[in-house]
Amino acid sequence: MTAKRILIVEDEKPIRDLVAFGLRRAGYEVSEAEDCRSARARLVDQRPDLMLVDWMLPDMSGLELTRSLKRDKETEDIPVIMLTARAEEQDKVGGLEGGADDYVTKPFSPRELLARIQAVMRRASPAGGEDVLEFEGLRLDDSSHRVTVGEAEVALGPTEYRLLHFFMTHAERVFGRGQLLDRVWGGNTYVEERTVDVHIRRLRKALEPYALDRLIQTVRGSGYRFSAREG
Ligand code: CA
């Protein structure tokens, strides 16, 4: 399994360094931003699995940044933990209303922060009953990595499996090839966009015997959409 990526948005370098150090030691891949503008630039290059966002940032408040991320379809499901020096209950409520998934008050210990990160990540990708996805008779069980249609097992390669999993959790939306590369392959890979088409073709071929290849629709000029409706 690849390391989970965390983006830290914090303007105070000593705190950022300390947090980054602790997270790298715990096995996370860390990227850093000192303000909201650079956080946005980092988000474009690479999608993090979680973000730590300081409340007080020089260009925009961390709360505003969190709100705007949660309003955007591209970033709404990235879990956010807010870091703040203010302990007042009012701020905590404000942070959670702004869409933050959790809240850590400074000063915090690296252990406490790690425990919160793990808890938020567990919630973001539950290990329990939500592992099974179903769509139009197609069933994907993420705990056993099996894809079935009725009694029949659909044999998929690992990339086709990840692609299908992504589509099943993001139905009805159109994704460009670049977006699929970022979300399914991971932003740091140097894969050409036409690789996406190759794997889409393989996935369609695997679904064809069940007449479910129709679910993967080509949206001319834009990319692909997973949908049961007529394209
Ligand atoms: Ca700050």
Side-chain angles (χ1 to χ4, degrees):
M1 206 175 129
T2 53
K4 294 277 190 195
R5 281 194 286 262
I6 297 181
L7 171 59
I8 308 170
V9 191
E10 163 67 86
D11 56 317
E12 284 160 84
K13 194 173 185 304
I15 297 178
R16 202 170 69 230
D17 287 349
L18 191 74
V19 170
F21 177 78
L23 293 178
R24 287 195 179 104
R25 221 170 47 169
Y28 292 102
E29 202 179 289
V30 179
S31 54
E32 303 176 33
E34 69 282 358
D35 54 28
C36 297
R37 210 171 64 101
S38 58
R40 292 213 166 269
R42 295 288 109 74
L43 280 166
V44 171
D45 321 320
Q46 200 178 57
R47 183 188 165 81
D49 295 296
L50 181 140
M51 288 175 68
L52 297 174
V53 178
D54 183 33
W55 188 285
M56 296 291 281
L57 290 164
D59 52 348
M60 190 197 214
S61 83
L63 182 59
E64 279 174 81
L65 173 67
T66 303
R67 279 202 185 113
S68 70
L69 294 172
K70 296 291 178 179
R71 269 198 303 260
D72 183 343
K73 288 251 174 264
E74 278 299 297
T75 51
E76 65 181 0
D77 49 3
I78 301 174
V80 175
I81 297 179
M82 293 217 58
L83 308 177
T84 182
R86 304 196 229 170
E88 288 89 353
E89 201 60 30
Q90 192 51 47
D91 284 350
K92 181 163 180 163
V93 171
L96 296 173
E97 279 176 356
D101 297 85
D102 202 357
Y103 199 92
V104 180
T105 307
K106 293 176 190 174
F108 47 81
S109 72
R111 261 175 83 171
E112 181 190 354
L113 182 63
L114 272 178
R116 296 291 192 89
I117 289 171
Q118 284 157 1
V120 168
M121 282 196 175
R122 264 199 304 277
R123 263 187 280 151
S125 52
E130 288 169 61
D131 277 5
V132 177
L133 302 167
E134 280 197 86
F135 200 91
E136 296 282 301
L138 182 65
R139 191 169 184 276
L140 182 149
D141 183 340
D142 204 31
S143 58
S144 61
H145 269 236
R146 275 161 57 100
V147 177
T148 49
V149 178
E151 296 294 300
E153 179 156 1
V154 183
L156 295 177
T159 304
E160 288 71 55
Y161 178 87
R162 284 205 308 275
L163 195 54
L164 180 63
H165 185 276
F166 179 76
F167 277 138
M168 290 180 84
T169 48
H170 297 83
E172 306 298 341
R173 290 194 219 161
V174 178
F175 293 95
R177 290 169 180 79
Q179 288 174 310
L180 289 172
L181 276 181
D182 188 39
R183 308 280 295 264
V184 178
W185 277 256
N188 225 4
T189 49
Y190 296 93
V191 181
E192 285 181 60
E193 294 202 348
R194 55 161 199 256
T195 305
V196 173
D197 301 331
V198 172
H199 291 279
I200 291 271
R201 250 194 323 270
R202 287 189 195 157
L203 180 57
R204 278 181 175 147
K205 205 163 180 317
L207 297 174
E208 208 177 74
Y210 314 98
L212 292 172
D213 51 317
R214 67 184 162 89
L215 298 176
I216 299 159
Q217 302 172 352
T218 303
V219 181
R220 199 167 289 279
S222 309
Y224 296 101
R225 173 176 53 212
F226 188 76
S227 173
R229 280 181 242 159
E230 290 299 311

